[in-house]
């Protein structure tokens, strides 16, 4: 970890914390993992609180509210799944944090189980910096409308923003150094060629009512879109992901149509700015 305040990454750090202010709680029993996550977050300008198990999570939530909990699954006293279920059952909806599971060696089916008990996402350990960035980017402070509410109630809100925030890829370039331009071009190329396949998969899975597969495709396009600065598209994909998670395809066609329209805008803006 470098502390040179003139390094390119320190600029990103400060901007991230200002752009996406979040109250973050880390629930993790392993001290090394605690340090790693605390350090990654502090590089990005976040000061997270740390607790050691699920009981401590429930305790601290009585005194303080959080926008985001990074929740280890296996902890002594009380693990992440039990703690999540109690939070989802007992806390008022408007105080509910976003909960992201931290897990090593996720097994097939784990992800679906985490989502089913009320977690919003998961991060694999060891935590990848880009994945963590992605989680932070799509998290919202309490009291702000959730992405699904925005996508469903006022699609026009998304229209007023540009489809792509170029500063996201510009900052990524600054971090990457010498080969940055080539890497960004590759990334944009890959995104533009892969996304139509993901959209086509979603269409087939809606028709076949294959919810886990629909959820996965929406999740992938969400992550890819956020990574490239296409947050409005990321939010619409998140609405699809939530819908699939709830085991429904009601309204899925409308969301898919929004995804297609938004992707065309994203493609145009990416090609104009980065290719
Ligand atoms: Mn653990």
């Amino acid at each position: 970890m470098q502390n040179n305040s003139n390094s390119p990454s320190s600029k990103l750090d400060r901007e991230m914390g200002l752009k996406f202010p979040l109250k973050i709680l880390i629930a993790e029993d392993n001290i090394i993992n605690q340090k790693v996550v605390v350090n990654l977050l502090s590089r990005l300008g976040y000061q997270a609180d740390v607790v050691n198990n699920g009981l401590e999570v429930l305790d601290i939530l009585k005194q303080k509210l959080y926008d985001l909990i990074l929740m280890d699954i296996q902890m002594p006293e009380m693990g992440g799944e039990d703690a999540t279920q109690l939070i989802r059952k007992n806390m008022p909806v408007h105080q509910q944090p976003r909960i992201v599971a931290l897990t090593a060696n996720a097994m097939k089916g784990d992800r679906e189980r985490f989502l089913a008990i009320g977690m919003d996402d998961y991060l694999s350990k060891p935590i990848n910096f880009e994945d963590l960035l992605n989680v932070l980017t799509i998290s919202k402070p309490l009291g702000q409308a959730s992405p699904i509410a925005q996508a469903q109630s006022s699609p026009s809100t998304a229209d007023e923003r540009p489809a792509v925030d170029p500063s996201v890829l510009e900052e990524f370039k600054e971090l990457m150094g010498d080969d940055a331009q080539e890497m960004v071009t590759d990334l944009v190329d890959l995104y533009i060629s892969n996304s139509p396949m993901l959209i086509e998969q979603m269409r087939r899975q809606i028709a076949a009512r294959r919810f886990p597969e629909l959820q996965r495709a929406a999740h992938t396009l969400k992550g890819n879109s956020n990574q490239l600065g296409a947050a409005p598209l990321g939010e619409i994909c998140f609405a699809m992901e939530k819908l699939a998670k709830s085991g429904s395809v009601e309204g899925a066609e409308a969301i898919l149509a929004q995804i297609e329209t938004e992707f065309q805008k994203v493609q145009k803006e990416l090609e104009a700015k980065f290719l």
Side-chain angles (χ1 to χ4, degrees), residues 31-183:
I31 291 174
I32 302 275
N33 291 341
Q34 286 181 359
K35 279 190 191 302
V36 169
V37 182
V38 165
N39 270 310
L40 283 174
L41 286 172
S42 79
R43 270 182 69 189
L44 297 165
Y46 296 101
Q47 270 196 315
D49 292 336
V50 181
V51 294
N52 298 286
N53 63 54
L55 288 180
E56 292 183 9
V57 171
L58 301 180
D59 265 355
I60 203 168
L61 283 177
K62 288 176 192 151
Q63 303 149 36
K64 195 170 166 185
L65 297 176
Y66 291 91
D67 305 310
L68 172 66
I69 302 181
L70 300 176
M71 181 89 85
D72 184 25
I73 293 298
Q74 291 186 20
M75 296 182 283
E77 311 291 337
M78 183 189 286
E81 292 184 64
D82 287 344
T84 299
Q85 282 175 304
L86 287 168
I87 290 167
R88 292 299 182 231
K89 191 168 141 226
N90 296 328
M91 276 186 89
V93 174
H94 65 279
Q95 296 183 352
Q96 295 262 345
R98 188 171 168 78
I99 302 178
V100 174
L102 302 180
T103 181
N105 313 313
M107 310 287 274
K108 204 170 185 327
D110 277 355
R111 185 186 142 68
E112 283 69 28
R113 199 179 67 253
F114 298 156
L115 295 177
I117 63 167
M119 289 175 151
D120 297 285
D121 206 343
Y122 84 91
L123 283 172
S124 304
K125 292 191 280 191
I127 291 174
N128 171 295
F129 189 64
E130 299 301 325
D131 290 345
L132 180 64
L133 265 181
N134 203 12
V135 160
L136 295 171
T137 307
I138 63 179
S139 296
K140 295 271 192 296
L142 287 177
Q144 290 194 11
S146 73
I148 186 165
Q150 283 176 15
Q152 284 180 347
S153 66
S154 58
S156 62
T157 312
D159 293 342
E160 290 156 17
R161 290 179 288 170
V164 176
D165 174 0
S167 71
V168 175
L169 277 176
E170 297 296 350
E171 281 168 2
F172 179 72
K173 262 197 220 174
E174 273 186 58
L175 271 178
M176 295 316 295
D178 290 348
D179 302 323
Q181 183 55 53
E182 200 184 331
M183 199 172 300

